[in-house]
Amino acid sequence: MRDILPALGRWYAAGLPFGLATVVEVSRSAPRDPGAAMAVGPDDEVVGSVSGGCVEGAVFELARDVVASGEARLETFGYSDDDAFAVGLTCGGEITLLVRRVTPERDPALGAVVESVAAGEPVGLATVTDGPAPRGATLAVRPDRVSGTLGASGLDAAVTADARGELALGATGLRHYGPRGQRREDSVSVFLESFAPPPRMLVFGAIDYAAAVARIGDFLGYRVTVCDARPVFATPRRFPEGVEVVAEWPHRYLRDTDTDARTVICVLTHDPKFDVPLLREALRRPAAYIGAMGSRRTHTDRAERLAEAGLTQHELSRLRSPVGLDLGARTPEEVAVSVAAEIVALRWGGSGAPLTVTEGAVHPSRS
């Protein structure tokens, strides 16, 4: 839903009712993850997508009906091949949608979410989807405060605790409770969405390859910073708009920069005087991905230098080098695709092999 929040915020601020459909549960080879959203606003304007086109027409009509009636609905769409004109998913999966009418009076929590996301603050949104609680009721959960209610103080308290835990992990999914928040019951279903600030991508070495990697990192939703010790190269005009550019020794910059389990670090300098102190710092801190550019000879020399600098084999095993997947890439843009492909494969556990030689579901089960 993050992608469509600017439009939702405009309608919300103007007091214009709109229908919001959110994927709350999926099974098998579903086309979109939980949290994918589509909204129908004033003059039937549509933003977002819940299935990549399979059921959007039906969801459009459903959202209009919900806006008119004000009654939130839970609908499931699955595979259908009995009738060429039937509404269904072609992939064989199944998605469950919560569709609700949103106004400032009905949903004060959404305003808090819009404000927090715009300010870069972490926020979670809890929404009742089913059970003996008001369907569509919402609660916005920040690290230090909440907005809205799910209809019962005990339920609010239990969901707030869980939402803060999910927010720390950047996780989204269904949780189950009793009507007053009892954890051993599962009569009330609540969908928890986490809107953590975008993960960071730190690119070291302001070369042509860095510009391409920064561009694709921005496209993938990372907050990108490019750092180089040479001011003549570390200039904003050489990089895409919105990418932060820093002139500083890489290891000093990283030493003073917070990273977490979602952070991506790309070392493109392939110069020992930069690489070794930088990687010595990087490999001893939290990060989802640490990749370094260079030939196999460069990698061997770099690994030896890092071992001499005191890094353990476990620490060295975190290094993805030479960086990227084997795509036969040559140009900076092709190399950037190779690096991005490795980052995505590592995030989701993909093999990197062509789908034509793999078996099973294209989209593995989200268990």
Side-chain angles (χ1 to χ4, degrees):
M1 190 168 72
R2 180 190 293 273
D3 293 341
I4 66 173
L5 275 178
L8 304 190
R10 290 194 299 272
W11 299 337
Y12 190 91
L16 301 171
F18 59 89
L20 178 61
T22 304
V23 178
V24 297
E25 193 169 19
V26 302
S27 66
R28 298 188 298 280
S29 186
R32 300 296 303 275
D33 285 323
M38 169 180 157
V40 178
D43 300 320
D44 291 338
E45 180 181 354
V46 177
V47 294
S49 171
V50 292
S51 74
C54 297
V55 301
E56 267 68 8
V59 175
F60 172 79
E61 297 297 340
L62 182 59
R64 294 180 67 192
D65 290 345
V66 166
V67 170
S69 69
E71 182 179 349
R73 292 174 59 178
L74 195 66
E75 296 285 342
T76 297
F77 294 91
Y79 180 67
S80 175
D81 62 357
D82 297 332
D83 181 345
F85 297 100
V87 174
L89 303 178
T90 60
C91 60
E94 186 175 273
I95 60 174
T96 299
L97 306 176
L98 176 69
V99 188
R100 58 192 178 92
R101 172 188 167 103
V102 178
T103 65
E105 297 76 22
R106 177 184 293 263
D107 191 351
L110 186 68
V113 172
V114 172
E115 292 173 5
S116 292
V117 171
E121 299 171 349
V123 62
L125 180 65
T127 308
V128 174
T129 65
D130 204 7
R135 177 176 287 165
T138 56
L139 182 72
V141 180
R142 297 157 171 162
D144 59 348
R145 61 197 188 281
V146 299
S147 302
T149 180
L150 302 182
S153 58
L155 182 59
D156 287 348
V159 170
T160 295
D162 288 346
R164 285 177 175 151
E166 299 289 83
L167 187 58
L169 298 172
T172 286
L174 274 177
R175 298 293 288 266
H176 304 280
Y177 308 87
R180 295 184 299 280
Q182 303 96 318
R183 295 188 179 277
R184 294 189 177 184
E185 298 184 26
D186 60 2
S187 59
V188 178
S189 298
V190 179
F191 184 61
L192 303 181
E193 294 177 85
S194 294
F195 298 92
R200 297 202 65 181
M201 173 182 280
L202 306 177
V203 181
F204 294 98
I207 59 176
D208 289 346
Y209 291 93
V213 170
R215 188 175 300 112
I216 204 166
D218 179 69
F219 175 76
L220 290 175
Y222 288 92
R223 180 163 66 93
V224 182
T225 298
V226 175
C227 175
D228 197 297
R230 302 162 294 182
V232 68
F233 293 112
T235 59
R237 67 176 180 275
R238 300 184 62 238
F239 296 94
E241 183 179 357
V243 171
E244 180 186 31
V245 181
V246 176
E248 174 62 280
W249 275 82
H251 71 283
R252 293 175 185 165
Y253 175 77
L254 184 57
R255 187 174 58 208
D256 296 330
T257 299
D258 291 332
T259 63
D260 60 26
R262 302 183 303 151
T263 302
V264 165
I265 299 174
C266 297
V267 179
L268 310 182
T269 49
H270 52 81
D271 182 333
K273 68 176 178 291
F274 296 122
D275 291 2
V276 173
L278 171 59
L279 287 170
R280 184 170 55 196
E281 176 70 32
L283 292 168
R284 288 173 169 168
R285 59 166 52 229
Y289 175 92
I290 303 170
M293 176 177 281
S295 66
R296 298 192 188 280
R297 178 184 299 176
T298 299
H299 168 71
T300 299
D301 176 71
R302 180 191 291 133
E304 291 174 352
R305 291 173 184 266
L306 289 169
E308 291 171 359
L311 270 75
T312 67
Q313 284 302 310
H314 173 71
E315 291 167 338
L316 289 172
S317 70
R318 300 180 63 204
L319 179 60
R320 316 289 290 195
S321 174
V323 71
L325 297 185
D326 180 13
L327 305 183
R330 294 290 187 273
T331 68
E333 291 74 19
E334 290 172 344
V335 170
V337 171
S338 167
V339 173
E342 184 174 41
I343 291 169
V344 172
L346 188 63
R347 179 196 297 175
W348 297 111
S351 67
L355 290 171
T356 53
V357 302
T358 63
E359 297 180 351
V362 173
H363 303 285
S365 175
R366 290 92 164 167
S367 58

